[in-house]
Amino acid sequence: MTDDAIRIESLRKTYKGSKGQPEKHALKGIDLTVPRGSVFGLLGPNGAGKSTLINILAGLVVKTSGKVTIWGFDQDENPRQSRASIGVMPQELNLDPFFTPRGALEVQAGLYGVPKSERYSDEILAMIGLKDKAEAYARTLSGGMRRRLLLGKALVHRPNILVLDEPTAGVDIELRQMLWDNVRKLNLQGMTIILTTHYLEEAEEMCDEIAIINQGEVVARDSTSNLLGRLDARAMVVHPASAVTDLPQGAGIEAELRGDGAVVLRYHSQQTSAEEVLAAVRAAGITIRDVKTEEADLEDVFLALTKST
Ligand code: ADP
Ligand code: MG
């Protein structure tokens, strides 16, 4: 037995090229473990291979080679048990338009062989806020409602692991909040959560651990706090009370005057403190009307990580 919720070894996926297209190496030998009970973030830009990885876990895409163990069950040797251990909320909205939310949950439960007495559709409908839409046809549901239904479908067999593929891409703040509330609740109940996102901020807020994947390879894997500590590029934007004549100067500080009159100061938080940057601003005779700092975004993260290796 292992304490890992998921163990992935030397996982490769090559999509065959169709109609004269070259083949695509979507996953180039991924090694990854996800501890039980964690909220694990799979972070990477579009095309990195996140959905391919998730869909292999879900049994929707057939791997080219490698070994996948889900909740201690080898995916090839124990396909049934490994599939029963995981629920996936896919990125695509693939709902049958002729099912009602309740119908969709019941059919899904049937697919997983959940006996009628063990189904809990009402509870799921309440949790995803679709109780009063239980009998409406899926085609009459809004995009947000459909997403919530996809989450519900992932839960019918009470999986140990819940995987969400870009659950918040293009959704409004309210739905995002609801999704995260649900995810936190499920995690507190002991469910292991894996989510993919291309928002660093989201991974930072939600995840205990993060793997960053780029072009089919894991480029970093660490606790969220360690990872962000390694990414210490900061930008402070100072809006001056009056026009700036002299730019601030100081060791480790790069100052630049922006078109709108604001001064942008770039520094590394491990070498230079925000206090030192502010002192340099005051020393240049600038009165601060407003100030804010920005952290590294995902692009900076990739640059930083690929430079250091
Ligand atoms: P992500 O989810 O991180 O955006 P994907 O796993 O969807 O990345 O895609 C990884 C790469 O594999 C991309 O270059 C994509 O175009 C390619 N790809 C994904 N699905 C297929 C497919 N069915 N056939 C061919 N290429 C694919
Ligand atoms: Mg994707």
Side-chain angles (χ1 to χ4, degrees), residues 244-278:
V244 168
T245 46
D246 296 315
L247 280 175
Q249 292 182 336
I253 302 173
E254 254 179 71
E256 177 198 341
L257 188 60
R258 232 170 43 181
D260 64 353
V263 180
V264 182
L265 302 122
R266 295 180 199 285
Y267 62 103
H268 288 270
S269 58
Q270 313 240 327
Q271 292 152 25
T272 311
S273 69
E275 193 45 57
E276 288 170 297
V277 178
L278 285 172

Side-chain angles (χ1 to χ4, degrees), residues 15-16 24 26 44-53 91 165-166:
Y15 289 108
K16 296 232 165 11
K24 173 75 200 174
N46 280 333
K50 303 183 297 296
S51 291
T52 299
L53 180 60
Q91 183 171 8
D165 194 1
E166 306 229 15

Side-chain angles (χ1 to χ4, degrees), residues 93 109 120 131 296:
L93 282 173
Y120 66 122
K131 227 174 165 171

Side-chain angles (χ1 to χ4, degrees), residues 132-150:
D132 54 349
K133 291 279 180 188
E135 317 299 341
Y137 286 115
R139 66 182 144 80
T140 68
L141 302 178
S142 70
M145 291 174 184
R146 290 179 199 198
R147 292 223 138 241
R148 276 139 61 188
L149 182 51
L150 287 179

